[in-house]
Amino acid sequence: MPLRHVLLALLVTLIWGVNFVVIKVGLHDFPPLLFCALRFALAALPLIFLRGPLPAPFWRIVQIGVLLGVVKFGLLFVGMHLGMPAGLSSLVLQSQVFFTVLIAAAFLGERPTPRALAGLALAAGGLLLIGLERPLGDSLLAFLLVIAAALAWAFSNIATKRSGASDMLRLISWVSLIPPLPLLVLSWFFEGPETIGHAVLNINWGGAGALLYIAFLATTVGFGLWSFLLRRYPASQVTPFALAVPVSGLLSGWLFLGEALTAQDWVACGLVFGGLAVNVLPGSLWRRRAAIGN
C-alpha cells in the first residue's frame, strides 16, 4: 500500500476516533434510532448533485445499507444509549477487524499472511491494555449490542468489497438512502412520537453540530475513503487500520481536551501502531532489516 493510501487510512481512523465522543454529545439531544436515521438522511444529500447510473447493483446497495446503517449503527447507538462508554465502544467495535479477516478468508479466499497475523496479534495486545483501564459500564446487554454491531460491520465490509463499485462517493450516498426509513419506523415504535417531536423541536447547537459531523465527516468522508481502500486492497490489509480508532480517540482527547494518558496507555498506543507497521510496511523492508541484523 503506497504512503498516500496509508495516510488516507490513518485520516479515517482519526475521524472515527473523534466520532465516538461526538456520538455521546448527540445522544444527549436525540434518541439513538432517530439520531441514526437523521445521520443517514443527511449523508444521502449529495445524491441531489450526483448524476449517472447506480454505482453497484441495487440489491447490493440495499444489503450494505441494511447491514451498515440499520443493523450496525442502530445496535451501536442503542448500546451507547444504554450505557456503553464512548471510549470502550470504540474499542469493542474494532472486533470487526477480526470478524472481517475470518469472513474474508471463508467467503473470499483471502488468506492473511503470517506477518499480517503477527501484526494483528501485536495490535490486539495494545487494545487489550487500553481496555483493561476502562470500565465496562452498567449493562451487559449494551456490551453485547456493540459486539453484534461489530459483526454487522464486518459483513458490510465484505459486501462493500464485492459490490464492484468504483465511485465510492456515489456508493456511500446511495447506501445512505436505505437506512432512514426503516430507522424512522423503528424510532416511531420504540422511542415514540413524543420523544421524536421533542428532540426535533428542541435541537441545540451541540446536537446540530454532532449530527453534521457524523453525517458528513464520519459517513460521507470516512466511509467513502474506507470503501475506496477496501475495493483496492485485501480486507486483511485494510481493516487492521480500524484498530487505531480507539488510539486516535485517546490521543485527540489528550491533545484537545487535556485528558490524561497513563504510561500503560502510551505503551498500548505504541503496540497498536507497531502492529499496523508490521501489517502494512513492505515485506522487502523487513527482509532488509533482518539481513542487516544478521
Side-chain angles (χ1 to χ4, degrees):
M1 184 182 292
L3 177 60
R4 65 182 183 278
H5 290 166
V6 171
L7 293 176
L8 284 180
L10 292 175
L11 173 62
V12 173
T13 69
L14 176 61
I15 292 171
W16 286 348
V18 174
N19 190 49
F20 284 87
V21 177
V22 175
I23 290 172
K24 273 295 188 184
V25 172
L27 288 174
H28 286 298
D29 295 302
F30 297 99
L33 294 172
L34 175 66
F35 191 31
C36 198
L38 294 175
R39 172 225 189 115
F40 283 103
L42 287 177
L45 286 180
L47 288 177
I48 297 173
F49 309 101
L50 297 174
R51 296 292 183 267
L54 290 174
F58 184 68
W59 70 269
R60 184 68 78 181
I61 291 172
V62 172
Q63 181 187 39
I64 299 170
V66 170
L67 287 169
L68 183 66
V70 180
V71 182
K72 179 217 169 177
F73 281 108
L75 293 174
L76 173 64
F77 281 26
V78 172
M80 293 181 70
H81 181 70
L82 291 177
M84 270 292 282
L88 191 62
S89 295
S90 71
L91 181 73
V92 172
L93 192 65
Q94 302 325 313
S95 60
Q96 64 87 16
V97 173
F98 307 99
F99 289 142
T100 301
V101 170
L102 291 174
I103 295 168
F107 293 98
L108 302 180
E110 293 185 1
R111 307 297 182 193
T113 64
R115 182 162 61 89
L117 291 175
L120 280 174
L122 188 60
L127 292 186
L128 181 60
L129 281 181
I130 295 172
L132 288 175
E133 290 196 333
R134 277 147 187 86
L136 179 61
D138 299 326
S139 174
L140 177 61
L141 174 61
F143 175 80
L144 294 176
L145 288 175
V146 177
I147 288 288
L151 183 59
W153 188 5
F155 277 108
S156 76
N157 282 335
I158 301 304
T160 299
K161 188 166 182 62
R162 301 179 74 173
S163 68
S166 56
D167 187 336
M168 292 307 167
L169 174 59
R170 289 176 59 238
L171 177 65
I172 198 61
S173 298
W174 274 99
V175 164
S176 297
L177 199 62
I178 305 302
L181 183 56
L183 285 169
L184 282 174
V185 171
L186 290 171
S187 177
W188 182 273
F189 279 105
F190 291 103
E191 296 166 344
E194 291 186 5
T195 302
I196 294 172
H198 181 269
V200 172
L201 294 175
N202 293 277
I203 187 171
N204 58 35
W205 286 108
L211 189 56
L212 291 173
Y213 184 99
I214 68 168
F216 295 114
L217 272 177
T219 304
T220 303
V221 176
F223 278 101
L225 293 175
W226 190 252
S227 300
F228 166 78
L229 294 170
L230 279 173
R231 282 286 300 135
R232 292 181 65 95
Y233 302 101
S236 60
Q237 191 172 358
V238 176
T239 55
F241 279 99
L243 296 172
V245 170
V247 174
S248 68
L250 288 175
L251 294 178
S252 61
W254 173 66
L255 286 171
F256 302 115
L257 301 177
E259 295 177 351
L261 291 180
T262 67
Q264 183 171 310
D265 286 329
W266 285 109
V267 172
C269 292
L271 286 174
V272 171
F273 282 108
L276 291 178
V278 170
N279 192 68
V280 303
L281 290 179
S284 58
L285 177 62
W286 296 107
R287 287 192 293 271
R288 283 200 299 271
R289 289 184 65 87
I292 292 171
N294 291 331

